[in-house]
Amino acid sequence: MKKLMMFVMAVTVVIALSACGGKEAAPASGSAAGAAGGSAQELKLEATNFQFDKTEYHVKKGQDIKVSLDNKQGMHAVEIKGLNVKLEGGKSQTFKADKEGTYEIVCTLPCGSGHINMKSKLIVEA
C-alpha cells in the first residue's frame, strides 16, 4: 500500500511539473484589434510559462468579442471571470461585451510552480 501511494504521488508530481514544459505550433500572434462591418472583434491571449503576453487587454462595450487562446509555451486553459468564458489552448469562444468593467483572466490548468500568479485583466470600455 505504501509503495502504491508513493507511485501515485510521483506520477502526480511528474504531471504537474511537465504541464508547462511542452511547446505547440501556433499561428501568427495578435492582440485586441478592431473589426469592421459588424463582425466580432478579435482578442488573442498568448500564454507562456506563468504569464500572458499582456497584463491588460482592452475591448469596447457592446461588441461581440471572439477570444482565442494561443499556447506559445506550455499547456494552459483560461477563464475570464464574470463573463462565462472558458477556453483551452487552440480554441476560441465568442461573447458579447455588454457591461463595462474589469474582469480577471486566470489560467485554469495547473501549469507548474508559477501557476498561481498567471493572471491578467480584460477591461471593457465605453
Side-chain angles (χ1 to χ4, degrees):
M1 181 69 172
K2 189 174 183 181
K3 287 182 181 180
L4 178 62
M5 290 300 293
M6 292 298 288
F7 176 75
V8 170
M9 288 183 359
V11 169
T12 302
V13 168
V14 168
I15 291 171
L17 292 175
S18 66
C20 281
K23 277 196 164 190
E24 291 184 2
S29 66
S31 301
S39 61
Q41 179 180 351
E42 298 282 334
L43 173 66
K44 183 178 279 190
L45 309 175
E46 292 183 0
T48 58
N49 285 343
F50 319 127
Q51 66 183 8
F52 295 101
D53 61 320
K54 295 185 175 191
T55 57
E56 294 181 351
Y57 300 88
H58 296 261
V59 298
K60 295 289 183 187
K61 178 184 173 186
Q63 289 194 321
D64 289 327
I65 308 297
K66 182 179 180 183
V67 61
S68 61
L69 175 62
D70 185 4
N71 285 331
K72 291 290 189 185
Q73 184 181 37
M75 300 296 293
H76 307 280
V78 298
E79 176 181 4
I80 304 177
K81 295 187 177 223
L83 293 176
N84 197 29
V85 174
K86 295 182 180 182
L87 291 173
E88 294 179 7
K91 305 286 183 179
S92 65
Q93 181 179 342
T94 302
F95 70 96
K96 181 104 172 154
D98 55 0
K99 186 176 178 186
E100 288 181 51
T102 300
Y103 300 89
E104 186 176 39
I105 302 170
V106 296
C107 180
T108 58
L109 181 66
C111 58
S113 62
H115 169 74
I116 194 79
N117 299 316
M118 192 168 173
K119 297 177 184 176
S120 186
K121 295 177 187 174
L122 175 67
I123 300 172
V124 179
E125 305 169 318

